[in-house]
Amino acid sequence: MLQNLHIKNLALIDEIEVDFEKGLNILTGETGAGKSIILGSIHLALGGKYNADMLRKGASYGLVELIFHIQEEETKKALERLDIFPEENEIVFSRKLMEGRSVSRINGETVSISKVKEAAAILIDIHGQHEHQSLLYKKNHLDILDAFAKESIAEIKLEVKEKYAAYKALKDELEQAKTDEADRAKEIDFIQFEVKQIREANLKSGEDVDLEEQYKKMVNGKRIVENVDEVVGYMGEYTGDGISDMLNRAIRCLGEISHIDTFSATLYEQLSDIDNLLNDFNRELSEYRHTLEFSEEEFYETETRLNEINRLKAKYGQTIEKILLYCEEKEKRLECLNDYDAYVEQLQKKYRMAEKELERVTKELSKYRQKASLLLKHAIKEGLLELNFLEVQFEIAFEELKEFTVNGKDAVEFLISMNPGEAVKPLGEVASGGELSRIMLAIKTVLADKDAIETLIFDEIDVGISGRTAQKVSEKMCVIGRKHQVICITHLAQIAAMADTHFAIEKRVDSGKTKTEISKLTEEQSIQELARILGGAKITDKVIESAMEMKNLALNVK
């Protein structure tokens, strides 16, 4: 369940923290106090759309944090499949909101918005102010039926998905096979050219890796030989006018004057020592050069072969294995084209078998759905009666689509009649906004019993209702709250009276700044808040008595 909500620097909120409880959590407050900001913040933390206008004026950033307490093993396993692991049975969602961007984290780890939404779908169901409008779209009705029947249809629905994928692949292949003679001839010529090019290259697995190694060694070997040859040239071995020759001339010059004074004799000895060292160096250099071998011809052959392989990689695959696999696939295609009639006949046979298999599992899925639809119809009708639809008739109509889809061939539509003697019609033709809201509440009540999602949020479920109907809605919310955590924003005293935990949202002015604050109410404060909702601007003793009576009636229902 949602244990804690922390909001900072968002719209009219400076900083607030809310600890939600089990059961029915009710949020009330004056119009414009900021109730929608509270639930909007939860939506933001769970991947909702964000723009910089949402930040509190003057704030450099905003923050929303949610802490969920996880108890159900099924929920933990579902989260673990997303690589999300509760720490001490808790999951922390946070979203930092900055100018033009935001950062989402789960348990401190930065994650994508898509991953946040996936995790949120496991933990919480948010019914927004206009979500009931989705009932007007026929395509959503099948999703509701499948959600209701998910345990009984999970296996067969997966089989339909797999059979459909095989059927679709064969159908696409068959479409591609319908080419005329000229196009086939062109394709054969082109494939023959590609296959010939690859086969003539005589590629061997791993050859490119070995050649790259050799080439690197050869490139380095060539550089060593070139540099050593250059050094030998400087020494004068090839030209006769290198360092050694010049040094010999210098020694002869000093030798002619070395007997004249002691300093020239010293210089002569030093230069002679250098000559001896240089002779040793030349000898070692010559021996090293003779050990070096470099074949221009071998280098050219290696380089040419590598270039050929790289050209093939650019055209057919990034490795030799991928090139050879491409070649094999093209050879199989060539076989088919050369024996085209047999290929098409075999393909049609496979397609008919796949279609027959898909038809079989699709019909089986449809039977499961129709069986589940009877239970869902009955459950929704009961829920509608409990929500003050006194003469309601509810039906689930099936229609077979012309083409297969990944969900089979069923099209489902919810039909309703709310007056005696009137035929059932599509929801959009007979239901108002308030009625759609109650129908959605009935559906969510039914699905809640089937769903592992622990937290349900209802944003102004009471739109367009009053009186006895409001009382019925409040009783239904109470029923849901026995098995799930429910968080609900309401303007109606009948619903607010049912609260297990009651929060009041107020807008206050502090030091010239408007702030939204939220506080958990005591029993006495809750009665005062009910009186405010009932009495408006003037709260009399009679209004207080009515509020107390409403609270006591709610306790009796609970």
Side-chain angles (χ1 to χ4, degrees):
M1 72 173 194
L2 178 57
Q3 190 169 292
N4 177 270
L5 165 66
H6 177 212
I7 309 170
K8 188 172 183 178
N9 297 333
L10 207 62
L12 297 176
I13 295 172
D14 185 11
E15 185 167 16
I16 63 172
E17 192 151 343
V18 188
D19 291 318
F20 292 109
E21 304 286 345
K22 291 180 180 179
L24 183 56
N25 294 260
I26 293 293
L27 283 68
T28 58
E30 294 279 6
T31 300
K35 297 186 296 297
S36 60
I37 299 171
I38 303 295
L39 293 196
S41 300
I42 295 174
H43 195 261
L44 269 177
L46 299 175
K49 287 184 180 179
Y50 160 70
N51 62 68
D53 293 337
M54 296 176 178
L55 286 178
R56 184 167 173 77
K57 188 177 180 181
S60 58
Y61 75 95
L63 180 69
V64 186
E65 287 183 335
L66 306 177
I67 300 176
F68 286 89
H69 184 72
I70 315 299
Q71 289 179 311
E72 298 293 329
E73 287 301 318
E74 185 181 339
T75 304
K76 289 178 184 178
K77 287 175 183 176
L79 289 168
E80 285 170 6
R81 284 193 287 272
L82 297 176
D83 287 328
I84 299 171
F85 299 91
E87 296 175 2
E88 296 182 356
N89 294 327
E90 287 186 352
I91 297 284
V92 180
F93 288 77
S94 69
R95 192 171 182 188
K96 190 174 183 179
L97 312 160
M98 293 157 283
E99 189 76 33
R101 67 188 184 95
S102 67
V103 178
S104 293
R105 291 185 174 87
I106 297 178
N107 285 349
E109 181 181 344
T110 303
V111 293
S112 64
I113 289 292
S114 60
K115 189 166 185 177
V116 170
K117 288 181 177 179
E118 282 185 272
I122 297 168
L123 297 170
I124 194 167
D125 180 11
I126 301 177
H127 178 81
Q129 290 185 37
H130 306 293
E131 190 190 344
H132 56 269
Q133 296 293 326
S134 66
L135 287 175
L136 298 176
Y137 300 101
K138 187 176 171 182
K139 62 184 178 65
N140 294 325
H141 299 176
L142 182 65
D143 293 337
I144 291 170
L145 174 58
D146 282 1
F148 175 77
K150 68 177 181 179
E151 289 180 6
S152 60
I153 68 170
E155 192 174 326
I156 187 66
K157 195 173 180 182
L158 179 61
E159 193 174 353
V160 168
K161 185 179 178 181
E162 291 169 349
K163 299 286 186 189
Y164 176 77
Y167 160 83
K168 187 72 167 58
L170 286 166
K171 186 179 181 181
D172 292 344
E173 190 178 349
L174 200 54
E175 285 295 321
Q176 291 172 5
K178 293 176 182 177
T179 58
D180 61 28
E181 193 67 36
D183 288 338
R184 265 200 321 278
K186 285 179 185 177
E187 188 178 357
I188 287 170
D189 284 344
F190 185 67
I191 291 175
Q192 284 175 335
F193 167 77
E194 289 187 319
V195 169
K196 183 182 178 186
Q197 191 177 41
I198 294 170
R199 290 306 181 198
E200 285 183 350
N202 195 26
L203 298 172
K204 295 178 181 63
S205 183
E207 177 188 7
D208 52 340
V209 178
D210 293 338
L211 285 171
E212 288 284 358
E213 285 278 327
Q214 291 175 29
Y215 184 72
K216 284 178 184 176
K217 288 179 182 176
M218 286 180 175
V219 167
N220 290 329
K222 184 179 181 181
R223 184 180 175 191
I224 290 169
V225 168
E226 287 173 350
N227 283 33
V228 169
D229 280 345
E230 190 173 349
V231 172
V232 170
Y234 290 145
M235 303 315 297
E237 185 173 330
Y238 304 138
T239 59
D241 58 354
I243 294 172
S244 297
D245 292 299
M246 286 187 280
L247 185 60
N248 286 332
R249 291 175 201 155
I251 288 171
R252 281 199 301 274
C253 289
L254 281 174
E256 291 175 0
I257 61 172
S258 60
H259 62 282
I260 298 175
D261 65 1
T262 56
F263 189 70
S264 59
T266 302
L267 291 174
Y268 174 75
E269 287 176 8
Q270 289 177 357
L271 208 54
S272 297
D273 290 339
I274 292 171
D275 184 47
N276 290 332
L277 286 171
L278 197 57
N279 287 334
D280 291 340
F281 172 79
N282 284 335
R283 185 171 59 256
E284 290 179 13
L285 181 64
S286 178
E287 289 173 357
Y288 177 54
R289 177 62 185 85
H290 288 309
T291 64
L292 298 175
E293 290 183 5
F294 177 79
S295 169
E296 285 285 354
E297 183 180 354
E298 190 179 347
F299 180 76
Y300 173 76
E301 288 174 356
T302 302
E303 190 173 45
T304 302
R305 179 62 173 170
L306 265 178
N307 288 338
E308 181 184 13
I309 291 172
N310 288 333
R311 277 195 298 272
L312 292 174
K313 282 182 177 181
K315 290 177 71 175
Y316 306 120
Q318 292 304 306
T319 65
I320 286 178
E321 288 74 17
K322 287 182 180 178
I323 296 170
L324 294 174
L325 181 61
Y326 178 87
C327 185
E328 287 173 13
E329 289 171 354
K330 289 298 176 182
E331 285 173 334
K332 287 177 184 176
R333 176 66 177 162
L334 200 56
E335 261 181 59
C336 296
L337 292 171
N338 285 329
D339 194 4
Y340 182 73
D341 292 337
Y343 159 65
V344 172
E345 185 181 345
Q346 185 67 21
L347 192 58
Q348 286 175 334
K349 186 178 177 182
K350 288 180 180 178
Y351 172 73
R352 286 192 296 271
M353 287 177 64
E355 186 178 36
K356 189 176 178 182
E357 275 295 295
L358 181 57
E359 184 75 38
R360 179 184 65 79
V361 293
T362 293
K363 284 182 177 177
E364 192 176 345
L365 174 59
S366 187
K367 285 179 184 177
Y368 276 101
R369 280 178 174 151
Q370 289 185 38
K371 187 177 178 181
S373 74
L374 298 175
L375 298 173
L376 178 60
K377 177 182 77 170
H378 179 71
I380 291 176
K381 185 176 178 180
E382 276 195 350
L384 293 173
L385 290 169
E386 290 170 1
L387 289 170
N388 214 30
F389 285 91
L390 299 179
E391 300 291 341
V392 71
Q393 294 298 317
F394 186 83
E395 297 291 338
I396 300 176
F398 277 78
E399 179 188 348
E400 187 176 300
L401 299 171
K402 292 180 180 179
E403 299 291 334
F404 290 104
T405 72
V406 71
N407 287 315
K409 286 183 107 174
D410 288 326
V412 168
E413 185 170 22
F414 294 163
L415 306 173
I416 196 167
S417 167
M418 291 178 285
N419 297 302
E422 285 189 3
V424 290
K425 295 179 182 178
L427 298 179
E429 294 182 21
V430 293
S432 66
E435 288 165 336
L436 282 173
S437 184
R438 279 187 285 156
I439 294 167
M440 178 60 91
L441 176 59
I443 290 169
K444 284 197 176 283
T445 305
V446 172
L447 295 182
D449 291 335
K450 293 273 184 179
D451 211 324
I453 293 176
E454 192 171 348
T455 299
L456 303 173
I457 292 182
F458 293 97
D459 185 3
E460 299 190 5
I461 195 71
D462 54 20
V463 172
I465 64 172
S466 60
R468 178 63 181 153
T469 300
Q471 182 62 34
K472 289 288 188 178
V473 169
S474 73
E475 290 170 7
K476 181 62 69 175
M477 299 291 285
C478 178
V479 170
I480 301 174
R482 289 171 190 163
K483 293 184 179 180
H484 299 264
Q485 181 192 45
V486 177
I487 299 170
C488 176
I489 283 181
T490 185
H491 293 287
L492 294 180
Q494 291 97 322
I495 296 176
M498 285 288 182
D500 295 313
T501 308
H502 192 169
F503 297 92
I505 300 169
E506 297 177 278
K507 187 164 63 175
R508 294 181 180 175
V509 178
D510 183 15
S511 302
K513 289 185 177 181
T514 305
K515 294 180 181 181
T516 290
E517 295 180 352
I518 184 169
S519 56
K520 181 178 174 181
L521 303 182
T522 63
E523 190 74 15
E524 185 179 340
Q525 288 171 331
S526 180
I527 290 169
Q528 288 292 327
E529 177 65 4
L530 290 178
R532 181 196 64 76
I533 298 171
L534 288 168
K538 191 173 182 181
I539 301 173
T540 64
D541 290 340
K542 287 286 185 184
V543 174
I544 295 286
E545 284 178 19
S546 296
M548 291 176 68
E549 184 181 6
M550 190 171 282
K551 194 72 177 175
N552 289 330
L553 287 171
L555 288 172
N556 291 334
V557 170
K558 290 197 281 186

